[in-house]
Amino acid sequence: MISTFFINPFSQEAKKIVKANGDLNKIIEENERLLNIIEYTTGQILDDDSKIPGSLWELSIKRIEWYLEKKNRQRYQPGYYRFLFNPKIAKFDVITFHILAQAIGAKFNPNSRESRIFIESEGEIVKERILRIEHQIRDDIISKILRELLNCEKPHWIQLEKLLENRRIKLTELILNDGKVILDKSAPKRIQQIINPIRENIIPALIMQETQEYLHKVHEMAAKIEPHPILVELADKIQEKISQEFFIPKKTGPGTIKASKLDFDAFPPCIKNTMKGVKAGNRNDAIVLLLTSFLSYARLYPAVFKERKPHKVSDFDPTLNITLNEILPIIYEAADNCEPPLFQDDPQEKLNITAKLGFGLHETPKLENEGESKWYTPMSCEKIKIHLPILCKPDNLCEKIQNPLTYYNRKRWQKKKEKGDKDIPGSNTKR
Amino acid sequence: MFQEATPKDRKKYYTREWRIEKIPDFIRENIHLREFGFDHTGQGPNDRYKFFPNEKLLTKFIRYRAPYAAYSSVALYDRPWKREGWISSELVFDVDAKDIPVRPCKCDNVCEKCLDQAKEIVAMIIDTLEDDLGLEEIHIIYSGRGYHIRVLDPIILKSDSEVRSQILKYVIGGDVPRLSYTDFDGNIRNLDHFMVPLGYPKVFTERSRYIILHLNGDERIEDITRQTMNKILEYRNLIRADRWGEFKGIIGPMVYKRLIKGVAKLNLQLVDARVTVDLKRILRLPSSLHSKVSMICTHVDDLESFDPLRDAVPDFVKEKS
C-alpha cells in the first residue's frame, strides 16, 4: 500500500516523519536502508555508483537532477532514477523534500530560478507518482490526498484561487456547481469519467502551490534566523547543478548564437535607427516594444526562435546584473535620445519596459516580481513595417530574414565566420 | 430616440430629474473611496482622479457641471485622488449591445432588438455566476447602450486580473472544453462538450448554441469557409433541438472542431474583456446621463421586466416626443 505522504509531503504524517528523522547533522551519512531499497527497485540501472544516492544529501540532489535531465530529454535515462518512484523510498523522500525546501527557501528568493525549478520538479514527481499508482487503489489514495490538501472533496472554487492566479489550473477545466468544485464520486457515471483526470491533475497543482508558499515562509524565516550551514552548502550545490544545466555547451545547429555581450555592429537598421532616437508618435512602441525585447533577447537568449523554449530573464541572468547594468541603461539612453525624451512626458513607460521583460508593472525589474508578465519576444519585420515603418530601412541582409533578432544572429554568425571562429559548429574552420 | 443630448438637455436632466438617491447604495456608501471621472465635451472621460468626500459635494459638482458623461471607479482606494492604496474592485462584465458579435438586426448603432439581445446575454451570464460560481450580490446596470453586471460578492472583491479573466472565460464560454477520460483499457478518450450536461461544458454548449442560432451568415468565423457557413445555417435547427451529435455528423468532425474553436472566439466578444480584467476601471455612474444616446444609466431591479425604452428615458426626451 502506498502511503499518501509519498505524494503529499505536507500531510500530517509526513510532518511527523520529518520531525522524528530530519536531523540535519545526519543527512550526509551513508544510509544502508536507502541503498538497499534502491538496489531492489525494479528496473533500476545499477551500473554506475555515481548515479546511486547513498545519503539523504545525495538523494536531495538526485531529485533535482532527475527533473533537469528529464527536461533536457537528450541525456535522460529513466532507468537511473527508478528509485524515485519506488514507494518504499517514501520516508527518505519526504525528508529530502523538506531539506531541499529549507535549503532553497533559505538561500534563494521565492521567485528565483532555483525556487521555480524546485517547485516544478516537485509537481513533475507527484504527477509521475500518481500515474504509477495501481488502478485498483488509485481512487482511494487520491481521495485521501484531496481530503488532506483541501479538507474536503467538494471545495469552494475560491479555495483554489491561488492555483488560478498562478495558472496552475484553469477554471474552465473544473466542474462547478453552486460554487463547489466537484471532485468526489457523487456525480453521475459519465461525469465521474471526466472528474478522474481533474482529480489527478489538481493534486500536483496543489502541491506545487503549497511548495511555493512553504518556500516563502522559509525565506522569511531565514531573514531572521541563520540557516544551518549544511543547508547553505546544499543550496550551493543545487545552484551549481542548475547553472550547469543552463550554461552547459549544448550541441547547436548552424546559425545558433549564444548569449554574450551585445555586438552593436550586428544590429539591424531598425534597431540602429531606434537607438538614435525616435520622434513622438513612434517613440513609445519603438522603445518599449521593439528595443526592449530585442536587446534583452539579443543579450540573454538570442536562440529563442531556434529553440522555441519559453524562458524567463533570470534563467540566463539569475542575479539580474546584466539586465540592470547592461540592458536597461541602453534602453534608457535610447529613450533619452527620443524627441521629446520618452520618460519626460511618459514616465510610466519605465513600468511598461519592466513589464515587457516579464517583471510586471514596476519601476525596475526585481526577482520577486518575475512572472507577473510575459517576457516579450521581438516583433517581426512584418509588424515593424506596419507599426513602425519609419524605422524600417532594409539592407541586403534584411531581405533574407523575418525578425530583427534573426538578422542579429545571422550578422554575428557571418562576422565570426569571416574571422574563422572555432566556436562555430558546422563551419568550415578547422578545429 | 437615441439622439445626442444637447448641453441644455443635460442641464435640464441634472437640475430637474437627477437626484443623488438614484445612485445605488453600493456606490453611495463609499463615495469617499472611489475615483470619479467626467467627460465634459463628448471626447471621452479626461477629467479623472476626482474625489468627493461626501454626497453633498458630488451632488453640487454634478448639478453645476451637468457633464456629458459621469463615471466612478469599480475600485475602492485609500487615496482615490491618486488612485493609490487599492482596497478592492467589483467584478464587472460589460455587455454592449452594439458590440455583440452576432447581430441579426444588422443596425448601425443600437436598436430595440439588439438591446433585447444584450439583455438575454446578461441573463445567461448571471445564471452562470449564480448557479456555477455560487456568487451573490450581483447588480445589473443598464448603461445606455447595453448592460454592466457588477458583482459585489465579498469573496471576489480582492481577486486579481488573472482570476477575473478565468471567470470571464468561464461565464462566456471562451475556452473549448477539454474533456478527456481514461477508459478501462487505459486508453485516453475524448468527450464532446454537448455530452456533459453540467459545469463548464454545459455553459460552453449554451453560449455556442446562442452564437450559432444568432448567426446571420455574414460573420467571419476563423477557419470556416462560406460554404461551411451555409451548411451550418442550413442544419442549425438540429442544434435548436439539442441534436448536436447529428449536427456534428453532418458538417463533419474536423469541420466541427474548427467551428467550435471559432465559436469560442466569438463567445469572447460577448463582453468587453478589458473591462473585466481591469482592476482600476471607471464605469458610467448609475443615474448619470448617457448623452450620446440620451438615455439614463439605470440600476435594474428586475431584469425580466426592465424595458430601457420605458425605464431609462429621461423626461427631456419624453417631452420632445
Side-chain angles (χ1 to χ4, degrees):
Chain A
M1 183 68 177
I2 292 180
S3 314
T4 59
F5 61 78
F6 187 49
I7 311 278
N8 174 20
F10 298 101
S11 67
Q12 288 307 318
E13 210 177 344
K15 283 175 189 163
K16 270 185 210 160
I17 292 167
V18 176
K19 210 170 180 185
N21 306 288
D23 182 353
L24 288 173
N25 296 313
K26 288 185 180 168
I27 65 169
I28 46 170
E29 288 173 12
E30 190 166 290
N31 192 311
E32 270 194 45
R33 173 82 188 121
L34 173 65
L35 281 166
N36 195 265
I37 294 170
I38 295 173
E39 202 179 328
Y40 288 97
T41 296
T42 317
Q44 177 67 42
I45 302 175
L46 297 162
D47 64 351
D48 183 348
D49 277 358
S50 72
K51 306 263 185 191
I52 309 297
S55 63
L56 292 176
W57 163 277
E58 286 174 5
L59 181 60
S60 308
I61 297 164
K62 285 288 159 197
R63 261 175 146 264
I64 298 288
E65 186 187 285
W66 165 78
Y67 176 67
L68 295 172
E69 296 269 310
K70 194 176 175 230
K71 243 178 107 178
N72 193 7
R73 283 171 188 265
Q74 285 165 343
R75 296 190 303 250
Y76 180 50
Q77 291 199 46
Y80 283 119
Y81 301 94
R82 289 273 187 253
F83 59 85
L84 282 175
F85 306 98
N86 180 353
K88 287 185 180 152
I89 209 177
K91 276 191 183 175
F92 300 108
D93 180 76
V94 82
I95 298 166
T96 57
F97 168 83
H98 285 271
I99 291 170
L100 269 171
Q102 299 273 342
I104 291 172
K107 169 100 194 259
F108 306 106
N109 188 293
N111 291 309
S112 65
R113 181 179 66 181
E114 287 74 14
S115 300
R116 243 175 32 233
I117 286 173
F118 173 55
I119 294 166
E120 286 167 14
S121 73
E122 186 56 22
E124 278 304 308
I125 283 184
V126 168
K127 253 186 227 170
E128 202 152 329
R129 284 179 182 164
I130 290 175
L131 275 177
R132 287 164 189 256
I133 303 174
E134 288 168 51
H135 193 260
Q136 299 92 315
I137 55 168
R138 193 187 277 191
D139 258 359
D140 284 344
I141 299 269
I142 284 173
S143 291
K144 271 189 201 164
I145 297 170
L146 282 172
R147 277 196 298 272
E148 282 172 4
L149 290 165
L150 295 165
N151 292 324
C152 63
E153 276 191 272
K154 269 190 187 175
H156 194 284
W157 67 267
I158 206 78
Q159 272 180 263
L160 308 177
E161 193 179 19
K162 288 276 169 211
L163 303 191
L164 298 170
E165 258 177 38
N166 292 320
R167 299 186 199 180
R168 296 212 158 98
I169 55 162
K170 279 181 169 182
L171 198 61
T172 54
E173 285 169 1
L174 303 174
I175 301 293
L176 302 180
N177 186 22
D178 198 20
K180 304 277 186 193
V181 185
I182 310 296
L183 290 171
D184 65 346
K185 292 290 180 179
S186 64
K189 204 163 182 194
R190 183 181 280 172
I191 309 305
Q192 278 179 28
Q193 285 177 326
I194 58 165
I195 284 170
N196 279 337
I198 300 172
R199 282 157 59 86
E200 288 172 18
N201 288 339
I202 209 166
I203 290 174
L206 283 165
I207 289 184
M208 285 168 83
Q209 189 58 39
E210 292 252 9
T211 307
Q212 189 175 344
E213 283 161 23
Y214 184 24
L215 291 181
H216 268 279
K217 274 183 208 153
V218 174
H219 195 69
E220 275 172 27
M221 287 286 285
K224 295 173 200 155
I225 308 160
E226 202 172 324
H228 193 291
I230 209 152
L231 293 177
V232 179
E233 209 181 314
L234 179 61
D236 288 340
K237 189 79 192 165
I238 298 292
Q239 187 178 31
E240 192 188 311
K241 272 265 168 216
I242 291 172
S243 296
Q244 273 171 9
E245 170 62 25
F246 278 100
F247 297 106
I248 215 161
K250 287 179 186 154
K251 203 179 167 189
T252 48
T256 306
I257 295 287
K258 284 179 269 177
S260 58
K261 293 268 179 195
L262 288 166
D263 180 352
F264 293 84
D265 288 340
F267 283 4
C270 55
I271 298 296
K272 282 182 182 164
N273 291 333
T274 305
M275 301 225 353
K276 283 180 207 157
V278 186
K279 285 187 180 165
N282 295 303
R283 199 183 49 159
N284 300 43
D285 279 0
I287 301 293
V288 178
L289 286 174
L290 177 62
L291 190 66
T292 302
S293 53
F294 173 84
L295 287 180
S296 55
Y297 275 95
R299 175 64 184 88
L300 299 171
Y301 185 26
V304 58
F305 295 126
K306 206 160 188 82
E307 295 174 3
R308 294 273 168 201
K309 281 186 191 165
H311 276 290
K312 294 189 177 179
V313 164
S314 69
D315 288 339
F316 306 97
D317 183 16
T319 56
L320 300 189
N321 267 338
I322 301 172
T323 309
L324 298 172
N325 301 319
E326 288 184 42
I327 300 168
L328 281 178
I330 304 172
I331 300 170
Y332 289 171
E333 197 187 321
D336 271 348
N337 292 340
C338 291
E339 280 179 44
L342 179 62
F343 304 134
Q344 198 174 292
D345 52 356
D346 263 338
Q348 78 277 13
E349 287 295 35
K350 262 194 183 169
L351 312 184
N352 285 333
I353 288 169
T354 310
K356 297 295 176 276
L357 293 168
F359 298 90
L361 287 165
H362 301 277
E363 186 79 12
T364 49
K366 281 184 191 149
L367 281 171
E368 66 249 36
N369 302 120
E370 196 170 28
E372 287 180 19
S373 53
K374 256 174 65 180
W375 183 14
Y376 271 53
T377 48
M379 60 165 88
S380 65
C381 296
E382 204 181 320
K383 270 196 181 165
I384 295 169
K385 275 178 198 154
I386 298 166
H387 297 288
L388 298 161
I390 199 150
L391 296 173
C392 183
K393 307 277 180 231
D395 63 12
N396 290 343
L397 184 53
C398 286
E399 286 169 20
K400 296 168 195 158
I401 52 103
Q402 284 156 7
N403 190 288
L405 190 62
T406 321
Y407 179 110
Y408 179 67
N409 286 337
R410 187 79 62 91
K411 189 84 178 256
R412 283 180 74 198
W413 175 262
Q414 282 176 353
K415 282 176 75 183
K416 282 192 173 185
K417 209 173 170 185
E418 281 159 19
K419 278 189 203 163
D421 197 311
K422 289 179 183 175
D423 283 341
I424 299 177
S427 74
N428 293 328
T429 50
K430 281 183 186 172
R431 284 178 181 259
Chain B
M1 208 57 98
F2 305 123
Q3 296 288 306
E4 190 169 11
T6 63
K8 209 174 150 190
D9 294 335
R10 279 151 42 194
K11 199 82 198 163
K12 210 184 241 183
Y13 173 73
Y14 282 112
T15 48
R16 290 192 199 165
E17 198 172 346
W18 180 82
R19 292 194 314 277
I20 190 87
E21 292 78 20
K22 288 190 175 176
I23 297 179
D25 287 349
F26 71 87
I27 294 175
R28 277 175 63 200
E29 65 202 16
N30 46 41
I31 279 178
H32 61 294
L33 299 175
R34 290 185 194 255
E35 179 209 352
F36 283 78
F38 298 94
D39 174 0
H40 300 292
T41 57
Q43 305 294 311
N46 44 22
D47 181 14
R48 293 193 61 173
Y49 293 87
K50 284 279 177 201
F51 161 69
F52 298 98
N54 54 49
E55 291 181 2
K56 209 174 159 187
L57 287 170
L58 175 65
T59 307
K60 208 171 157 188
F61 182 91
I62 288 186
R63 285 244 161 89
Y64 180 67
R65 298 295 299 266
Y68 189 86
Y71 304 82
S72 70
S73 62
V74 297
L76 306 183
Y77 305 94
D78 284 331
R79 296 174 296 284
W81 57 90
K82 281 184 169 176
R83 231 187 281 165
E84 279 178 4
W86 181 84
I87 299 168
S88 63
S89 290
E90 298 161 19
L91 170 69
V92 180
F93 302 92
D94 178 13
V95 182
D96 199 325
K98 72 171 175 24
D99 295 330
I100 297 170
V102 282
R103 295 207 308 167
C105 67
K106 296 182 182 176
C107 73
D108 287 339
N109 192 2
V110 283
C111 66
E112 208 175 333
K113 271 189 187 169
C114 51
L115 281 174
D116 276 347
Q117 244 190 295
K119 200 165 139 177
E120 271 180 80
I121 294 164
V122 168
M124 288 196 296
I125 292 175
I126 288 175
D127 281 348
T128 307
L129 288 170
E130 287 174 345
D131 298 347
D132 286 38
L133 289 145
L135 292 173
E136 292 169 356
E137 291 193 49
I138 300 172
H139 294 264
I140 305 165
I141 312 292
Y142 172 69
S143 66
R145 275 202 302 208
Y147 293 86
H148 293 154
I149 301 168
R150 303 175 71 151
V151 186
L152 282 109
D153 193 318
I155 67 165
I156 200 72
L157 297 179
K158 299 265 185 193
S159 296
D160 75 355
S161 288
E162 178 58 34
V163 174
R164 288 164 196 251
S165 105
Q166 297 224 27
I167 294 173
L168 171 89
K169 283 187 185 162
Y170 190 103
V171 300
I172 60 171
D175 272 341
V176 175
R178 282 204 332 217
L179 297 163
S180 63
Y181 69 95
T182 312
D183 68 12
F184 291 115
D185 301 325
N187 300 315
I188 307 260
R189 305 263 179 213
N190 290 315
L191 282 174
D192 277 311
H193 60 94
F194 51 82
M195 295 164 87
V196 181
L198 81 165
Y200 180 67
K202 185 183 167 209
V203 174
F204 181 79
T205 305
E206 278 176 4
R207 303 297 179 267
S208 303
R209 177 194 284 120
Y210 184 87
I211 291 284
I212 295 171
L213 295 183
H214 283 80
L215 289 170
N216 63 38
D218 295 336
E219 299 85 353
R220 275 193 56 79
I221 305 182
E222 206 176 275
D223 292 331
I224 292 296
T225 60
R226 166 68 40 202
Q227 210 182 354
T228 309
M229 180 65 110
N230 290 339
K231 212 168 177 182
I232 293 165
L233 297 180
E234 189 182 344
Y235 290 100
R236 65 177 167 187
N237 271 340
L238 290 171
I239 286 177
R240 205 187 302 273
D242 257 334
R243 287 153 64 188
W244 285 84
E246 275 177 69
F247 177 76
K248 181 182 169 182
I250 286 171
I251 68 162
M254 294 312 290
V255 177
Y256 183 78
K257 210 172 164 185
R258 293 207 304 268
L259 169 67
I260 57 161
K261 217 172 137 193
V263 167
K265 285 195 176 168
L266 284 183
N267 287 348
L268 274 173
Q269 296 168 37
L270 288 170
V271 301
D272 183 348
R274 290 168 306 174
V275 178
T276 307
V277 299
D278 188 351
L279 300 177
K280 299 189 169 183
R281 199 85 180 175
I282 50 172
L283 281 186
R284 276 185 193 280
L285 180 69
S287 78
S288 68
L289 187 69
H290 190 317
S291 299
K292 189 119 192 153
V293 285
S294 294
M295 295 203 91
I296 304 167
C297 179
T298 310
H299 187 273
V300 178
D301 293 326
D302 176 22
L303 184 65
E304 215 171 306
S305 62
F306 179 78
D307 175 4
L309 303 184
R310 182 193 63 212
D311 303 325
V313 180
D315 288 345
F316 69 83
V317 172
K318 286 178 195 159
E319 283 161 16
K320 278 180 193 173
S321 60

